[in-house]
Amino acid sequence: GAGVSQSPSNKVTEKGKDVELRCDPISGHTALYWYRQSLGQGLEFLIYFQGNSAPDKSGLPSDRFSAERTGGSVSTLTIQRTQQEDSAVYLCASSLATGGFNEQFFGPGTRLTVL
Amino acid sequence: QKEVEQDPGPLSVPEGAIVSLNCTYSNSAFQYFMWYRQYSRKGPELLMYTYSSGNKEDGRFTAQVDKSSKYISLFIRDSQPSDSATYLCAGKTGANNLFFGTGTRLTVIP
């Protein structure tokens, strides 16, 4: 079966523009996660969805970042008024369930460059 | 202080060598400990996980967790050029998100 897919794979934008990043999780996976991977910082948790609700938004770095998930499937991460420090690889992961150990399967990421 | 600390390397070894990758962590609530492997321009993929302290072996790979010293290790025996990748350690509490180290870049030279 298909894994987690993300689009676009690369995005170059100008400072101040808004961007939308898309994640298609593995079919049937109820949990969806967004992480950000920057040079020297490793992966940082941003937000997690259980179904369409987001019980944990604690990792979103500012109110310029938001995310939604519809139909318990596709999720969109939106960054408004992008800044150069937003440049990073944005990774999405999904898991069958939550709690305990549920393997998170990662997509290939979207590489965002803010000029 | 990051919850998981990892030496970023890079680490270069000759083919066939034993590789030791290490992390320390500060969160006593971590219950699960994971090693992910990430190839260039790809997402991380789970290599191994352990619950609480102890050892776990899978082929050429052995994961060790020592909760008393908050130390996580991954050993790779008979390393192969195909093992060249970035290795990420991670910890997880009973909640849902993972806390990652910065990753160690490994190159195995033929």
Side-chain angles (χ1 to χ4, degrees):
Chain A
V4 177
S5 61
Q6 293 185 246
S7 60
S9 54
N10 286 282
K11 177 72 177 179
V12 180
T13 191
E14 294 178 348
K15 178 181 171 181
K17 301 278 191 182
D18 297 352
V19 294
E20 282 190 356
L21 312 179
R22 177 186 167 108
C23 172
D24 282 88
I26 293 173
S27 177
H29 280 195
T30 61
L32 185 147
Y33 313 79
W34 284 98
Y35 294 86
R36 178 170 70 173
Q37 187 172 31
S38 308
L39 272 176
Q41 293 295 315
L43 274 81
E44 299 172 289
F45 168 77
L46 298 178
I47 187 171
Y48 129 77
F49 287 90
Q50 175 58 43
N52 291 336
S53 62
D56 189 350
K57 306 179 183 180
S58 62
L60 294 178
S62 76
D63 58 8
R64 296 186 295 104
F65 288 71
S66 63
E68 65 175 13
R69 188 179 185 194
T70 55
S73 181
V74 171
S75 176
T76 304
L77 178 69
T78 301
I79 309 173
Q80 295 179 310
R81 304 181 303 282
T82 52
Q83 304 294 310
Q84 287 181 334
E85 61 262 28
D86 298 335
S87 297
V89 177
Y90 290 82
L91 289 157
C92 173
S94 69
S95 66
L96 194 58
T98 60
F101 182 79
N102 277 281
E103 182 178 352
Q104 294 185 19
F105 294 83
F106 284 83
T110 293
R111 185 173 298 270
L112 175 66
T113 303
V114 182
L115 301 176
Chain B
Q1 180 190 7
K2 284 178 66 71
E3 303 216 28
V4 181
E5 300 280 355
Q6 184 174 9
D7 185 341
L11 182 61
S12 291
V13 301
E15 183 175 353
I18 296 174
V19 176
S20 172
L21 302 169
N22 306 292
C23 296
T24 58
Y25 66 93
S26 58
N27 190 336
S28 298
F30 282 166
Q31 298 177 8
Y32 299 93
F33 303 88
M34 286 135 286
W35 284 95
Y36 279 81
R37 178 174 60 194
Q38 186 175 24
Y39 292 111
S40 181
R41 302 277 174 162
K42 303 285 187 184
E45 56 179 351
L46 181 68
L47 198 56
M48 298 180 71
Y49 84 94
T50 54
Y51 175 71
S52 194
S53 281
N55 294 358
K56 189 171 186 178
E57 187 174 322
D58 184 2
R60 296 184 295 110
F61 299 87
T62 300
Q64 286 185 353
V65 175
D66 183 345
K67 293 192 81 174
S68 63
S69 59
K70 294 189 173 67
Y71 204 77
I72 312 166
S73 300
L74 178 71
F75 298 96
I76 307 174
R77 291 183 298 281
D78 187 25
S79 55
Q80 302 295 308
S82 57
D83 296 331
S84 298
T86 296
Y87 290 80
L88 300 147
C89 59
K92 182 179 183 295
T93 66
N96 299 292
N97 55 300
L98 304 177
F99 296 87
F100 283 89
T102 52
T104 300
R105 188 172 177 180
L106 171 68
T107 302
V108 180
I109 303 165

